[in-house]
């Protein structure tokens, strides 16, 4: 439910100028009834200056009269205050990281030339003029620009960068890049796991064979030399 722009000041005015119940005022202003009681008793931390909701076009006199005639009636606001909304625009970058933007832009241009200036601008939060100056090396500080991964610099996230690169590659008809840095390690790990599995299978087979051999009758006498086996005929 929409509420007055200045609920405490509005509540103070309604307490002083109307016969509305504390519950009605609390409901309309979005406050606790004990706050309305404190305002009425002048026990609030600071004395509030009342704000007239009628002059603010948030409430009509007819609505106030309805409330005064019926304590169970709930006041209806004419319209809520306009909410501040963030407009679309370049990504915000902390001041401490803004000097790193040219390095991040240069890295994307060098490693992913298929990414458009518009995509870079949205990802890093910069202008096309800056990107164009870095592309044609006319930037005023080009001698000190060193390509660096924008993710490492904290200008964007790896997920956002990957999404932009994949989208640009698809639009350009290119195959999406794959990370081959761990291919060698991955193959070595697979070979190691295969060898460990084969070793475990051999050990298990040997253990079964040993258990089977312990239950079989001995094929030769194990008496000491020179002692005749009395059961041998």
């Amino acid at each position: 439910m929409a509420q007055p722009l200045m609920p405490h000041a509005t509540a103070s005015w309604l307490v002083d100028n109307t016969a509305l119940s504390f519950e009605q005022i609390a409901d309309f202003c979005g406050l606790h009834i004990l706050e309305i009681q404190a305002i009425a008793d002048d026990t609030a931390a600071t004395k509030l200056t009342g704000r007239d909701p009628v002059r603010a076009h948030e409430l009509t006199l007819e609505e106030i009269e309805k409330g005064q005639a019926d304590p169970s009636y709930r006041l209806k606001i004419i319209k809520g205050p306009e909410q501040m909304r963030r407009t679309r625009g370049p990504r915000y970058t902390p001041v401490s990281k803004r000097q790193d933007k040219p390095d991040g832009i240069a890295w994307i241009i060098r490693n992913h030339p298929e990414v458009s200036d518009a995509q870079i601008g949205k990802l890093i939060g910069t202008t096309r003029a800056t990107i164009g100056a870095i592309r044609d090396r006319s930037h005023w500080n080009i001698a000190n620009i060193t390509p660096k991964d924008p993710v490492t610099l904290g200008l964007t996230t790896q997920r956002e960068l990957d999404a932009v690169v994949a989208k640009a590659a698809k639009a350009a008809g290119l195959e999406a890049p794959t990370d081959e840095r761990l291919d060698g390690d991955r193959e070595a790990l697979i070979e190691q796991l295969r060898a460990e599995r084969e070793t475990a299978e051999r050990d298990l087979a040997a253990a079964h064979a040993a258990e089977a051999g312990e239950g079989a009758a001995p094929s030769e006498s194990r008496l000491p030399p020179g002692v005749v086996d009395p059961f041998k005929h």
Side-chain angles (χ1 to χ4, degrees):
M1 178 180 177
Q3 296 174 355
L5 181 63
M6 301 175 64
H8 288 87
T10 300
S12 179
W13 188 92
L14 292 172
V15 167
D16 293 339
N17 295 277
T18 71
L20 295 169
S21 68
F22 290 169
E23 186 176 357
Q24 286 174 308
I25 297 173
D27 179 76
F28 178 73
C29 296
L31 302 175
H32 195 281
I33 191 170
L34 294 179
E35 293 182 273
I36 307 303
Q37 181 69 54
I39 292 172
D41 294 341
D42 288 335
T43 57
T46 58
K47 179 61 179 176
L48 297 171
T49 300
R51 178 175 183 270
D52 186 350
V54 178
R55 295 186 62 181
H57 304 289
E58 295 174 346
L59 197 60
T60 63
L61 289 175
E62 291 78 9
E63 193 72 7
I64 292 176
E65 291 173 357
K66 288 181 182 179
Q68 292 177 146
D70 181 6
S72 64
Y73 182 77
R74 292 294 176 261
L75 303 177
K76 297 179 178 62
I77 194 169
I78 297 176
K79 70 171 184 176
E82 293 295 330
Q83 300 294 324
M84 295 297 292
R85 294 181 175 85
R86 186 181 185 278
T87 58
R88 286 184 173 272
R91 174 194 296 269
Y92 173 76
T93 305
V95 176
S96 61
K97 294 184 179 297
R98 291 180 185 176
Q99 70 273 12
D100 296 330
K101 286 186 177 183
D103 293 344
I105 295 169
W107 186 92
I108 296 176
I109 291 174
R110 185 186 68 180
N111 293 279
H112 301 287
E114 70 279 6
V115 177
S116 68
D117 290 0
Q119 289 174 314
I120 296 175
K122 186 176 180 180
L123 183 68
I124 302 296
T126 187
T127 64
R128 295 194 182 190
T130 300
I131 300 170
I134 295 174
R135 279 190 185 277
D136 60 25
R137 302 189 63 80
S138 62
H139 192 278
W140 65 272
N141 196 34
I142 193 65
N144 297 316
I145 294 177
T146 303
K148 295 179 183 177
D149 189 339
V151 175
T152 304
L153 294 174
L155 299 173
T156 186
T157 65
Q158 188 64 55
R159 178 177 296 180
E160 290 173 329
L161 177 61
D162 290 345
V164 168
V165 171
K167 184 176 181 179
K170 182 178 180 180
L174 303 174
E175 183 178 354
T178 57
D179 189 353
E180 300 179 351
R181 291 175 296 178
L182 300 178
D183 283 353
D185 293 341
R186 188 180 296 110
E187 293 176 0
L189 179 60
I190 292 174
E191 290 296 329
Q192 179 181 350
L193 292 175
R194 184 181 293 115
E196 291 177 355
R197 183 180 62 188
E198 293 175 352
T199 300
E201 291 175 352
R202 287 196 299 268
D203 291 344
L204 182 61
H208 286 319
E211 291 177 0
E214 289 177 357
S219 57
E220 296 182 357
S221 174
R222 298 184 178 278
L223 294 175
V227 179
V228 178
D229 186 352
F231 298 100
K232 186 175 182 181
H233 299 287

